[in-house]
Amino acid sequence: METVIIYGIDNKAFENLKEIENKYNIIAVSDSDSKKWGGVWHTYSVIKPSEINNYVYDWILVPNFEFYQQIFQELTILYRIDPEKIRKSWNKSRAELGYWKMKISEEGTLKNSHYKKILLCMAERTDDSFMRGKIVADFGCGPRGSLAWTNSPAVKIGIDVLALEYVRAANIRNHGMIYLTSTETDIPISDNIVDYMFTLNAFDRVSNPERMICEIARVLKNTGEFIASFDLYQPEEEGQPQWYTEDIIDNLLEKKFYIISRRLSYSTGWEKPYNDMFDKRYETRLDPNRQGYLWVRAKKKS
């Protein structure tokens, strides 16, 4: 289990504490408030920020969404913490589940027919025959039934940290899918099993994208394919802690995958975001002031 220090022990930290404890070994906590130094916060010793680098740890976790940038500057400039060691640890699961409960209230039965056009376009295929008899998965699938539209695969797997909550909140039993509850660092699938792994609008929601890329590569067969849609230049929210550029995604992928196809386009609005992709209006580079998408097809490196 990775070791961490929590920085910023306010109400947000307490709200996230159980989720953090389930994933990490907490060796200390810290805060900018000198009145807390030397004390104990929920059984954990409170150390001075200047003492952080006296410890051996994997990550500094920052649970506060509202003040993250301010805290990041404080840690890196005042206390010379390695910026690569600082992780966002917001309670994105609660924010995500709240969103889906709102959509269930609005729609009743969640619609999923739109996934056929999106996923086929991502895969650069005209029909689902390429999936016939294959094991197909969707990482960060949500509760709509992203693979319910196809009967070609031998097995359809939806992977999501909230899968169990979706069983309780939404009608997912008629999707013909296996739903797996997965942490962001360990997918409960054996090595070299999956033929096609999709992901759509999910990677900005993970806390550890580097580890997730490694896990996706691990479960894919050597002949398998990673088919992904990455949101670029999207504003950070509590449910979406990651912010990506083309270069960040390219750097994430390069160690584990080689690229078959790479397409960039701008968002065309909330209701129909992928119209430029559908119409093949691709860009060579995106304006950082405009939201867009990177669609990738990739094979894992041996």
Side-chain angles (χ1 to χ4, degrees):
M1 187 176 284
E2 294 175 315
T3 57
V4 300
I5 296 173
I6 299 174
Y7 189 84
I9 48 175
D10 55 9
N11 290 336
K12 286 292 185 183
F14 177 69
E15 290 173 4
N16 295 353
L17 183 58
K18 291 224 176 279
E19 184 178 347
I20 295 171
E21 287 177 326
N22 288 337
K23 294 181 181 179
Y24 302 102
N25 174 29
I26 303 169
I27 57 174
V29 299
S30 188
D31 198 277
S32 60
D33 185 353
S34 61
K35 295 178 183 177
K36 300 175 182 178
W37 299 347
V40 174
W41 179 80
H42 298 282
T43 75
Y44 298 106
S45 299
V46 184
I47 64 174
K48 299 177 182 179
S50 58
E51 296 173 334
I52 288 175
N53 280 330
N54 295 337
Y55 287 74
V56 177
Y57 58 87
D58 292 299
W59 311 109
I60 303 292
L61 299 186
V62 180
N64 194 301
F65 162 70
E66 186 177 359
F67 297 106
Y68 175 78
Q69 292 301 331
Q70 177 182 327
I71 292 170
F72 183 88
Q73 295 295 322
E74 184 177 305
L75 288 172
T76 55
I77 295 173
L78 289 182
Y79 301 110
R80 300 188 181 281
I81 303 296
D82 180 356
E84 297 296 323
K85 291 277 191 177
I86 301 171
R87 293 275 180 198
K88 300 164 185 172
S89 183
W90 308 334
N91 200 323
K92 59 187 183 304
S93 295
R94 184 171 57 243
E96 183 78 356
L97 186 59
Y99 168 80
W100 284 117
K101 286 182 176 179
M102 177 189 70
K103 299 305 289 184
I104 292 165
S105 176
E106 290 174 356
E107 298 181 26
T109 300
L110 294 173
K111 303 175 182 67
N112 55 32
S113 59
H114 59 291
Y115 284 113
K116 179 178 181 179
K117 182 175 183 179
I118 296 171
L119 296 188
L120 285 178
C121 189
M122 286 170 58
E124 297 183 288
R125 266 82 168 197
T126 56
D127 60 50
D128 61 353
S129 59
F130 71 100
M131 294 190 286
R132 188 167 294 125
K134 303 296 186 181
I135 297 175
V136 181
D138 179 13
F139 168 74
C141 60
R144 286 191 183 275
S146 57
L147 297 170
W149 58 275
T150 177
N151 292 317
S152 285
V155 180
K156 300 182 291 187
I157 305 172
I159 304 167
D160 202 294
V161 70
L162 292 172
L164 184 59
E165 297 294 338
Y166 296 152
V167 171
R168 296 166 178 159
N171 180 18
I172 67 172
R173 293 180 175 85
N174 63 348
H175 293 164
M177 296 170 57
I178 297 169
Y179 280 91
L180 289 180
T181 300
S182 173
T183 67
E184 295 181 342
T185 55
D186 296 283
I187 298 176
I189 298 176
S190 299
D191 297 354
N192 306 313
I193 292 291
V194 176
D195 292 289
Y196 294 99
M197 175 70 80
F198 286 92
T199 188
L200 172 68
N201 189 25
F203 256 74
D204 51 355
R205 303 172 194 276
V206 303
S207 296
N208 192 337
E210 295 88 353
R211 178 63 182 271
M212 204 69 256
I213 287 289
C214 291
E215 278 295 279
I216 286 173
R218 180 185 64 78
V219 303
L220 270 174
K221 293 179 180 178
N222 290 333
T223 56
E225 190 172 314
F226 183 34
I227 305 171
S229 173
F230 299 102
D231 292 13
L232 304 180
Y233 304 107
Q234 302 278 349
E236 292 177 351
E237 299 174 3
E238 189 164 14
Q240 299 177 189
Q242 302 297 342
W243 179 87
Y244 293 122
T245 67
E246 302 101 298
D247 293 339
I248 291 173
I249 297 299
D250 289 340
N251 289 334
L252 274 174
L253 294 173
E254 68 176 357
K255 291 182 180 179
K256 293 295 180 179
F257 291 94
Y258 65 87
I259 305 302
I260 303 170
S261 171
R262 184 182 185 279
R263 290 165 286 166
L264 281 169
S265 78
Y266 288 111
S267 171
T268 48
W270 175 251
E271 292 188 357
K272 297 181 178 180
Y274 307 116
N275 278 358
D276 276 1
M277 285 293 191
F278 297 153
D279 296 336
K280 298 184 179 180
R281 291 195 293 265
Y282 305 138
E283 308 292 335
T284 55
R285 198 76 179 173
L286 296 185
D287 180 345
N289 297 309
R290 295 178 62 185
Q291 297 176 24
Y293 305 102
L294 171 61
W295 283 10
V296 169
R297 290 175 51 221
K299 296 275 190 179
K300 75 174 183 179
K301 295 178 177 178
S302 56

